[in-house]
């Protein structure tokens, strides 16, 4: 073949979009979303072969939107969030964010570890919540990798949290992979290492509304694979006991509408469930069905608990996608995690991470219709 013929053939291949097979299955696109402290913030769009689309940013490792079909194939975003980076940089209740170092509350912002006392920010009444003043939700993550395979698209992010950041000991290296599969799953894989003993409880704080915010979430039907909760005091710190859910409005061992008994729970649900997870392997934690759209969300996790939160503190003051004002109970969270205030509750599964150990967590949100 002459050189010119080879060039012609190559041009035809390029013009006809003949790219490696995997790039065609799940292309990842990106835009520059803005800047934070001089650092460039990207917004990535992952699309699978079914047209499901997930947007993820390296600001706060946030899941910005999740577009899934309803039972008629209508594609809509089913998480609460904002169009602009500026809104995520401002005050909001952790929409879609990666939360850490400690997702949930630590009583009075204090704990001790190996005889050393640590003091954290008190940023929620008298307690510490979700990592402090500038938690991981407000940090810029490094973009380590973005790639597609025939089955999935992957964004790999990392963040190096310096020793004593927000009062937590140890230089902590955190990695998170977001994986969108062709089975309409979002897999969130976390890994962390420290150089000093520390505590760690990472979670994703997405607020779901399977109606795509046409109404609140009280009509959604929920099953939780959990037989007990960690009851709390008035400041939402666990008392330390496990209480069976049987015979209470917290019992979702069989499907109930979220709104069915919510009036019996002052303010709405905001409670940690102990999952039936005995192994630390990936098990199903929850299933949510929304009858009008037919959408189903199944949550799986390797964590021992899940915080079920019904957007009780949303009050219409935040305006999100499509100009929608997020009113009370416009979203629910299934925050896979260790139990709240574990650093002060030796009877709860340990959240201590020591040098030489590897923290791992896998949480999966899977979408379908019925
Ligand atoms: C907590 C709620 C809190 C919300 C937003 C949830 O994880 O359980 O009490 O209001 O996060 O910060």
């Amino acid at each position: 073949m002459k050189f010119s013929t080879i060039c012609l053939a190559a041009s035809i291949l390029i013009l006809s979009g003949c790219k490696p097979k995997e790039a065609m299955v799940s292309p990842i696109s990106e835009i520059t979303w803005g800047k934070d402290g001089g650092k460039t913030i990207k917004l990535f769009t992952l699309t699978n072969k079914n047209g499901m689309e997930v947007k993820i940013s390296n600001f706060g490792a946030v899941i910005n939107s999740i577009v899934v079909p309803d039972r008629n194939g209508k594609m809509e975003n089913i998480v609460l969030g904002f169009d602009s980076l500026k809104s995520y940089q401002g005050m909001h209740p952790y929409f879609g964010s990666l939360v850490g170092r400690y997702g949930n509350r630590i009583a009075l912002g204090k704990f001790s570890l190996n005889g050393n006392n640590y003091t954290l920010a008190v940023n929620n009444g008298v307690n510490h919540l979700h990592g402090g003043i500038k938690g991981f939700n407000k940090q810029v993550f490094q973009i380590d990798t973005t790639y597609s395979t025939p089955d999935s698209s992957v964004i790999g992010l990392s963040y190096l949290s310096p020793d004593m950041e927000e009062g937590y000991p140890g230089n902590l290296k955190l990695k998170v992979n977001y994986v969108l599969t062709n089975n309409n799953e979002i897999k969130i894989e976390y890994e962390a290492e420290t150089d000093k003993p520390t505590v760690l409880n990472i979670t994703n704080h997405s607020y779901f509304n399977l109606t795509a915010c046409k109404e609140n979430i009280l009509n959604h039907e929920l099953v939780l694979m959990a037989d007990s909760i960690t009851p709390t005091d008035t400041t939402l710190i666990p008392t330390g006991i496990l209480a069976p859910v049987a015979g209470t409005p917290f019992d979702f061992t069989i499907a109930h509408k979220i709104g069915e008994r919510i009036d019996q729970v002052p303010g709405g649900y905001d409670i940690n469930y102990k999952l039936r997870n005995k192994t630390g392997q990936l098990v199903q934690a929850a299933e949510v069905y929304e009858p009008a759209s037919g959408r189903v969300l199944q949550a799986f996790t390797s964590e021992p608990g899940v915080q079920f939160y019904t957007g009780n503190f949303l009050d219409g003051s935040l305006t999100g996608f499509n100009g929608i004002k997020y009113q009370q109970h416009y979203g629910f969270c299934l925050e896979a995690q260790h139990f709240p205030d574990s650093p002060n509750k030796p009877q709860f599964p340990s959240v201590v991470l020591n040098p030489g150990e590897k923290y791992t967590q896998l949480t999966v949100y899977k979408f379908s219709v019925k």
Side-chain angles (χ1 to χ4, degrees):
M1 220 184 324
K2 283 207 302 215
F3 179 68
S4 57
T5 322
I6 295 170
C7 288
L8 181 65
S11 323
I12 290 169
L13 274 178
I14 290 165
L15 288 172
S16 64
C18 183
K19 298 181 197 144
K21 190 174 169 228
E22 49 275 25
M24 286 198 299
V25 174
S26 307
I28 298 176
S29 64
E30 65 176 69
I31 60 161
T32 296
W33 211 18
K35 293 251 178 207
D36 188 87
K39 294 181 189 153
T40 300
I41 304 301
K42 298 275 184 186
L43 184 65
F44 297 95
T45 303
L46 286 63
T47 312
N48 73 7
K49 71 163 197 219
N50 313 312
M52 175 175 167
E53 187 194 273
V54 179
K55 288 190 197 286
I56 287 161
S57 177
N58 62 319
F59 182 78
V62 75
I63 298 182
N64 168 244
S65 78
I66 303 177
V67 173
V68 291
D70 70 3
R71 67 160 75 82
N72 300 314
K74 185 166 185 203
M75 305 297 280
E76 289 170 308
N77 169 42
I78 52 80
V79 286
L80 274 50
F82 307 108
D83 284 315
S84 76
L85 171 63
K86 221 170 175 280
S87 300
Y88 285 96
Q89 289 166 319
M91 288 292 286
H92 70 92
Y94 305 87
F95 288 156
S97 307
L98 187 154
V99 171
R101 293 193 189 188
Y102 202 90
N104 220 308
R105 291 174 174 82
I106 295 180
L108 307 176
K110 289 189 188 307
F111 70 96
S112 57
L113 187 56
N114 303 333
N116 300 312
N117 296 324
Y118 295 99
T119 302
L120 310 168
V122 165
N123 60 332
N124 184 256
V126 294
N127 300 319
H128 176 82
L129 177 70
H130 292 338
I133 310 294
K134 189 170 181 184
F136 292 170
N137 60 301
K138 291 274 192 272
Q139 300 292 354
V140 179
F141 282 63
Q142 182 177 304
I143 302 157
D144 291 338
T145 183
T146 69
Y147 65 91
S148 296
T149 72
D151 304 317
S152 61
S153 294
V154 183
I155 304 278
L157 304 173
S158 63
Y159 177 65
L160 187 63
S161 173
D163 187 25
M164 296 312 287
E165 183 179 47
E166 288 289 338
Y168 292 96
N171 290 298
L172 183 89
K173 185 155 193 218
L174 170 68
K175 288 182 175 197
V176 58
N177 282 340
Y178 291 101
V179 182
L180 172 63
T181 74
N182 283 333
N183 293 327
N184 287 6
E185 298 158 315
I186 302 170
K187 294 186 178 171
I188 313 178
E189 305 165 344
Y190 306 89
E191 257 183 40
E193 285 176 322
T194 182
D195 61 1
K196 282 189 192 153
T198 192
V199 295
L200 189 63
N201 192 23
I202 305 289
T203 195
N204 175 267
H205 209 298
S206 289
Y207 289 66
F208 301 98
N209 182 325
L210 301 180
T211 73
C213 278
K214 293 192 185 63
E215 56 184 68
N216 66 31
I217 48 89
L218 299 183
N219 227 18
H220 289 50
E221 295 171 14
L222 171 69
V223 181
L224 284 169
M225 286 62 184
D227 303 303
S228 52
I229 53 170
T230 51
T232 57
D233 66 16
T234 51
T235 72
L236 296 177
I237 293 294
T239 58
I241 63 155
L242 287 172
V245 293
T248 77
F250 294 96
D251 189 349
F252 286 96
T253 52
I254 57 165
H256 287 277
K257 285 195 187 297
I258 292 175
E260 189 184 314
R261 299 157 299 171
I262 201 168
D263 290 347
Q264 299 168 44
V265 181
Y269 295 95
D270 192 357
I271 191 82
N272 171 64
Y273 283 78
K274 176 186 184 290
L275 296 169
R276 287 179 207 133
N277 189 350
K278 298 218 168 24
T279 60
Q281 301 300 306
L282 191 72
V283 296
Q284 189 169 0
E287 175 158 331
V288 189
Y289 169 61
E290 197 285 298
S293 66
R295 293 191 178 102
V296 177
L297 162 62
Q298 292 170 302
F300 304 81
T301 187
S302 58
E303 289 295 284
V306 68
Q307 181 85 7
F308 173 50
Y309 172 57
T310 45
N312 309 336
F313 300 112
L314 298 174
D315 59 6
S317 58
L318 289 172
T319 304
F321 296 122
N322 303 316
I324 294 171
K325 291 197 186 309
Y326 295 137
Q327 306 287 353
Q328 193 184 38
H329 307 318
Y330 254 63
F332 67 90
C333 304
L334 291 168
E335 300 157 55
Q337 55 169 23
H338 273 58
F339 304 170
D341 201 32
S342 297
N344 295 308
K345 301 279 188 307
Q347 68 272 43
F348 286 174
S350 172
V351 289
V352 174
L353 182 69
N354 290 305
E357 295 172 350
K358 188 171 266 185
Y359 169 97
T360 58
Q361 184 201 139
L362 175 60
T363 293
V364 179
Y365 296 116
K366 180 172 170 40
F367 297 90
S368 57
V369 289
K370 63 179 183 190

